[in-house]
Amino acid sequence: MKKYTLLLFVALFLFSSLTKASISKKDSDLFEKAIFIGNNKDTLLYRILYPSNFDKTKTYPFILFLHGSGERGNDNIKQLFWANDVFLNEENRTKCPAIVVLPQCPEDDFWVNMDYFNNIQSKKNLYDNSLPPISHSLDLVRQLTDSLSSLSFVDKARMCITGMSMGGYGTYDFIERVPGMFSKAVPICGGSNLKMAKNFSNTVQLKIFHGESDDAVPCDLSRMMFDRLKSLKAVVDYVEYPGVNHNSWSKAYAEPNIMEWMTSTNNNPSNYTTKTDISYLLSKSDDDYKNERCRLDIYYPTNKKDFKTVVWFHGGGLEVGEKFIPSELKDKGLCVVAVNYRLSPKVHSPLYIEDGAEAIAWVFKNIENFGGDNNKIFISGHSAGGYLTLMLGLDKKYLMHFGIDANQIAGLIPLSGQTNTHYTIRKERNLNTLIPLVDQMAPLNCAREDIPPILLITGDKNKEMLARYEENAHLAVILKALGNKDVTLYELSGFDHGTMLSPSLILLNEWINKH
């Protein structure tokens, strides 16, 4: 075994040991101890957690959890180290009853073949045409899973595998070798052979998680796997946590609705529906361009009522761009309404702002027909979409024209939006776009007290568009001075205007979940 591999796993063990308290006996007793005897009479220690009020006459989802290298051993307890918070959470156990199996890998073995691990870890042989022999321990896990899945109370349509670090590698390795056994997979800070992704791309839905600052397992491995799976038309989401090191599993397993997703069926269309190109005009228009552009897409959960809705305005400097549903907002229990609006120079201000107001008014008047709650409508957008969000949330006259009080909005989340008069509006007036202007078309000029809760996010002030952070900081100070209490400003260090979008949407999800 290569020396750096041993050092890496020792480091990971020390990392986990120093960041979480020991497991209480009361908690560990809920996970029943068991021993599996394999085909060659080899043994595998594991724990199994049954749902509260377990009933053998019913069927339950099945979750296989593969721990990291720091939890290897023969005590049949260390593998619970990170499992308690998610699997013993009372809300999760009540809403998402499941059978959870937690095997323990021995000290002298790993979930993956070590030569294979070394090659992936160092980004070598990422496109090998074949897999090495399965590790001894993972083969026992395969046999155990095959045995347990045959039980009458296991729902074979709702089987999920998840793992972190070494377990993230093991998660990929398992579904590459046994495609079709699991319908869901949640690999966290892991990696694998990109060529082998074809083995499972059409049988497993995935949620991949990684910390952007991971110095143990390169986050490039998750990025490349995500891109590879998207090219194969797989159903996959990728969440990268900005500034987070190796311990990304703490955030991943705390994601809203993660247990709901892991325990649901593999048939997403039954849970979400998308309807496209709906006209949001509340009165007829003879303007062909208006009829063409004033349309929206709506993505909404069909198995949930009174859900929250995000009205999403695309960016593009008010001159280009098309509506889209951000992947980071999918499968979060939210409804997302993606809006198109007329663009400059075909129209000038304030017509695109008026379009945005009409789209929001349409949502307020229609969202209950889809199952949503019109008291839980949030407005967001990136760049030019952030500017529209601010204008429509702060200047009440635009929505009032359609009989909507802007204070009915549940929250505003402009992402890198201008708070001065937008540079495209200055261009429309033949003004110097570098010289700031604060007039009636500037959100800053529309600042008022009693606005909806607001989350302002920009990229790094040293990498953002000119003065974009400073403009948002100025608005935040003014809003607070006017007496608004729920005003939050984030600067995403290291991210520029374009790359700040994905991490911003993670923050957006967390913020909406709290409101």
Side-chain angles (χ1 to χ4, degrees):
M1 187 182 300
K2 294 184 179 178
K3 185 176 180 181
Y4 81 85
T5 300
L6 285 173
L7 291 174
L8 169 65
F9 283 134
V10 169
L12 298 189
F13 173 74
L14 291 174
F15 178 87
S16 63
S17 299
L18 292 171
T19 51
K20 189 176 172 79
S22 60
I23 308 160
S24 72
K25 186 175 187 304
K26 179 182 177 182
D27 286 341
S28 64
D29 284 349
L30 293 173
F31 296 90
E32 294 185 14
K33 285 186 175 182
I35 300 176
F36 175 72
I37 301 175
N39 295 337
N40 296 321
K41 307 303 179 184
D42 294 324
T43 58
L44 177 74
L45 302 176
Y46 72 98
R47 294 284 190 122
I48 185 165
L49 176 70
Y50 292 99
S52 302
N53 304 314
F54 175 62
D55 183 346
K56 286 186 176 181
T57 66
K58 297 180 179 179
T59 59
Y60 299 91
F62 177 96
I63 299 175
L64 175 65
F65 174 81
L66 300 180
H67 61 75
S69 65
E71 292 75 61
R72 290 174 300 154
N74 59 3
D75 60 358
N76 206 2
I77 189 168
K78 281 195 293 187
Q79 74 268 36
L80 308 182
F81 206 73
W82 299 100
N84 287 354
D85 291 346
V86 60
F87 298 125
L88 293 187
N89 177 284
E90 281 302 318
E91 182 178 0
N92 285 342
R93 296 200 79 195
T94 301
K95 291 173 57 178
C96 311
I99 297 163
V100 185
V101 175
L102 306 94
Q104 185 176 34
C105 183
E107 288 274 7
D108 60 354
D109 200 12
F110 302 93
W111 294 135
V112 288
N113 177 289
M114 285 315 301
D115 288 335
Y116 177 66
F117 166 84
N118 288 332
N119 284 334
I120 301 301
Q121 183 75 6
S122 58
K123 301 180 187 176
K124 296 177 182 176
N125 303 330
L126 286 176
Y127 288 92
D128 276 1
N129 287 311
S130 61
L131 288 167
I134 190 170
S135 79
H136 179 69
S137 294
L138 191 66
D139 189 44
L140 285 171
V141 171
R142 180 193 60 77
Q143 295 175 46
L144 168 66
T145 306
D146 192 50
S147 174
L148 293 176
S149 65
S150 67
L151 298 173
S152 61
F153 47 78
V154 171
D155 186 344
K156 295 178 182 59
R158 291 186 292 166
M159 293 183 62
C160 176
I161 181 172
T162 182
M164 56 191 225
S165 192
M166 179 184 74
Y169 277 88
T171 296
Y172 285 123
D173 201 61
F174 195 116
I175 59 179
E176 286 165 357
R177 298 175 190 276
V178 195
M181 177 171 283
F182 291 99
S183 58
K184 299 285 183 74
V186 184
I188 303 171
C189 54
S192 189
N193 180 337
L194 300 178
K195 188 111 180 198
M196 292 298 105
K198 68 180 186 301
N199 289 8
F200 59 84
S201 61
N202 64 349
T203 64
V204 184
Q205 293 183 6
L206 297 97
K207 284 188 179 294
I208 301 170
F209 298 92
H210 218 123
E212 177 258 341
S213 299
D214 194 327
D215 58 8
V217 178
C219 66
D220 280 349
L221 296 179
S222 287
R223 293 171 180 170
M224 290 187 290
M225 179 59 78
F226 175 67
D227 290 341
R228 171 68 172 156
L229 287 168
K230 291 297 285 186
S231 73
L232 294 169
K233 310 297 185 187
V235 179
V236 58
D237 287 326
Y238 173 49
V239 176
E240 185 173 299
Y241 298 109
V244 172
N245 203 314
H246 192 54
N247 185 16
S248 52
W249 51 84
S250 293
K251 281 187 169 291
Y253 288 133
E255 283 280 329
N257 306 313
I258 187 65
M259 275 293 289
E260 286 186 45
W261 186 85
M262 288 197 293
T263 56
S264 65
T265 65
N266 203 18
N267 188 10
N268 265 358
S270 67
N271 295 333
Y272 291 88
T273 292
T274 304
K275 295 187 176 180
T276 61
D277 282 331
I278 301 172
S279 173
Y280 59 75
L281 296 179
L282 300 176
S283 58
K284 289 185 178 180
S285 172
D286 294 327
D287 183 332
D288 290 341
Y289 183 55
K290 187 174 184 179
N291 288 325
E292 172 195 340
R293 289 292 300 179
C294 292
R295 294 183 175 274
L296 57 80
D297 297 343
I298 180 167
Y299 167 90
Y300 62 98
T302 55
N303 60 344
K304 185 175 181 180
K305 296 297 182 184
D306 299 325
F307 47 73
K308 297 176 181 179
T309 298
V310 178
V311 179
W312 176 254
F313 293 107
H314 67 78
L318 300 173
E319 296 179 300
V320 296
E322 290 293 328
K323 56 182 166 57
F324 68 99
I325 308 291
S327 61
E328 294 87 350
L329 300 184
K330 290 183 177 180
D331 206 18
K332 302 292 185 183
L334 297 170
C335 169
V336 184
V337 178
V339 178
N340 266 354
Y341 46 89
R342 285 175 289 178
L343 300 169
S344 182
K346 284 193 174 182
V347 300
H348 287 183
S349 69
L351 291 184
Y352 27 73
I353 304 173
E354 293 172 1
D355 290 348
E358 193 160 6
I360 293 171
W362 184 95
V363 174
F364 270 100
K365 295 175 187 295
N366 290 278
I367 199 62
E368 289 183 343
N369 297 331
F370 294 88
D373 185 340
N374 62 12
N375 293 311
K376 300 175 183 176
I377 296 174
F378 297 79
I379 314 300
S380 184
H382 177 232
S383 195
Y387 169 78
L388 294 176
T389 298
L390 287 166
M391 286 300 297
L392 294 165
L394 300 184
D395 191 337
K396 300 183 78 170
K397 71 173 181 283
Y398 292 105
L399 282 170
M400 192 59 70
H401 177 76
F402 297 101
I404 304 295
D405 185 341
N407 283 6
Q408 292 176 248
I409 297 170
L412 304 169
I413 311 100
L415 310 181
S416 195
Q418 284 193 264
T419 72
N420 294 342
T421 300
H422 198 278
Y423 65 79
T424 294
I425 296 175
R426 284 176 259 161
K427 185 162 68 173
E428 290 171 358
R429 300 177 187 174
N430 295 316
L431 299 175
N432 188 331
T433 58
L434 295 178
I435 304 300
L437 176 66
V438 178
D439 65 4
Q440 74 275 12
M441 304 307 296
L444 189 61
N445 192 56
C446 306
R448 57 185 175 82
E449 60 181 344
D450 289 334
I451 68 164
I454 186 167
L455 173 63
L456 299 154
I457 308 178
T458 77
D460 190 318
K461 59 176 172 284
N462 296 314
K463 296 186 175 185
E464 257 285 7
M465 296 184 74
L466 181 66
R468 194 58 55 93
Y469 168 77
E470 289 79 3
E471 286 188 33
N472 279 263
H474 191 186
L475 178 61
V477 169
I478 297 302
L479 290 174
K480 289 179 181 178
L482 289 170
N484 294 287
K485 303 297 184 185
D486 199 341
V487 179
T488 303
L489 170 66
Y490 283 137
E491 177 193 4
L492 296 180
S493 178
F495 292 88
D496 62 23
H497 186 70
T499 58
M500 62 83 67
L501 177 57
S502 184
S504 294
L505 292 169
I506 297 169
L507 295 173
L508 177 151
N509 273 309
E510 292 179 354
W511 190 82
I512 286 179
N513 195 50
K514 295 175 182 176
H515 285 74

